[in-house]
Amino acid sequence: MSQALQSFAPRFEPSPGRRVGSRQHPPAPAFPRLTSLVSRAINAFRLLDRPAHLRRIARSRRILATLARFRGEGAGARAFAYLRTVDPHTFEEVVLSSIEAAGFVVLRNRRYTGDGGVDGRVRIPGTFCKTLAVQVKRYRSAINPSHVGDFDRAIRAGGHAGGLLVHCGRTGPLTRLALHGTPIELVSGSSLLNLLLRLRAPALVGVAHVQ
């Protein structure tokens, strides 16, 4: 059974087209910048034997710095055009780095294959071990509705509280229909730009509690 949750992160903004409930927000990290530094240290230690992976993460942070300079009319279109030149694995790290910079503890995968459809995990502030699964797709066209079902199954199999499906393509009506009743928050369009350019994480609603 699914149940609406409030946003729980620092500097949260509701995603377009999704209604945020009226219950009290779970606590956000008291020190977002410190939390971000702790997350970076955890991942640096976990990936100490993965120098190529660490270089890709470092590049992702440089890309975020470049995106932060995009201003004025057409900034969104230029940002998406730029992101589509980034290789898929680096794009995954860009998304995870932006969530980390917004004040979350992010657990990055140690490898890019065999991840069961989950590209990273985010610890929910105010909980001991609840996590959100993150899946990142660098689409050039419309998202495939079947990917929603695949990700939903991966979330439940992994025991996650919910998931973020992040993509830079288009979202068709069949995909929006597939999202109904799932613990998945879609991050695309303006909500993705808020995340990458302003480091404002998307609000989560309709998250299913794992039994």
Side-chain angles (χ1 to χ4, degrees):
M1 172 179 287
S2 54
Q3 177 180 353
L5 292 184
Q6 289 288 349
S7 60
F8 46 73
R11 294 175 289 174
F12 255 21
E13 288 188 347
S15 298
R18 301 287 292 273
R19 183 182 175 189
V20 179
S22 57
R23 293 187 298 134
Q24 184 178 4
H25 291 195
F31 303 100
R33 185 170 297 182
L34 178 60
T35 302
S36 177
L37 291 174
V38 168
S39 178
R40 291 176 67 153
I42 290 171
N43 286 289
F45 179 77
R46 292 177 63 247
L47 300 171
L48 201 58
D49 59 340
R50 299 285 195 276
H53 200 143
L54 290 173
R55 286 194 295 271
R56 185 171 271 119
I57 293 170
R59 184 175 176 230
S60 76
R61 293 175 180 139
R62 293 194 296 270
I63 290 171
L64 282 178
T66 298
L67 290 171
R69 295 194 291 270
F70 286 18
R71 291 288 186 272
E73 186 177 354
R78 287 186 286 119
F80 279 122
Y82 176 55
L83 288 170
R84 290 184 183 115
T85 68
V86 176
D87 74 83
H89 290 160
T90 301
F91 182 53
E92 288 179 17
E93 301 299 346
V94 169
V95 170
L96 294 174
S97 290
S98 64
I99 296 172
E100 186 175 67
F104 290 94
V105 172
V106 171
L107 298 175
R108 302 175 191 260
N109 293 345
R110 283 177 49 81
R111 58 182 183 177
Y112 293 108
T113 58
D115 55 18
V118 174
D119 298 319
R121 291 163 290 153
V122 183
R123 180 183 172 274
I124 298 178
T127 70
F128 179 68
C129 60
K130 285 187 178 181
T131 57
L132 303 174
V134 181
Q135 186 177 90
V136 183
K137 298 287 188 183
R138 199 208 60 176
Y139 290 107
R140 291 183 178 272
S141 56
I143 182 173
N144 189 329
S146 68
H147 291 167
V148 173
D150 292 341
F151 187 36
D152 186 23
R153 286 186 287 275
I155 290 169
R156 298 177 191 282
H160 304 289
L164 298 176
L165 178 55
V166 186
H167 76 93
C168 59
R170 299 190 306 274
T171 306
L174 291 179
T175 297
R176 295 193 183 280
L177 185 62
L179 285 166
H180 182 71
T182 72
I184 299 170
E185 175 73 11
L186 190 68
V187 183
S188 62
S190 60
S191 60
L192 179 57
L193 291 177
N194 271 330
L195 176 61
L196 299 182
L197 275 66
R198 301 174 185 171
L199 303 180
R200 292 175 179 168
L204 274 183
V205 294
V207 175
H209 287 274
V210 178
Q211 299 299 320

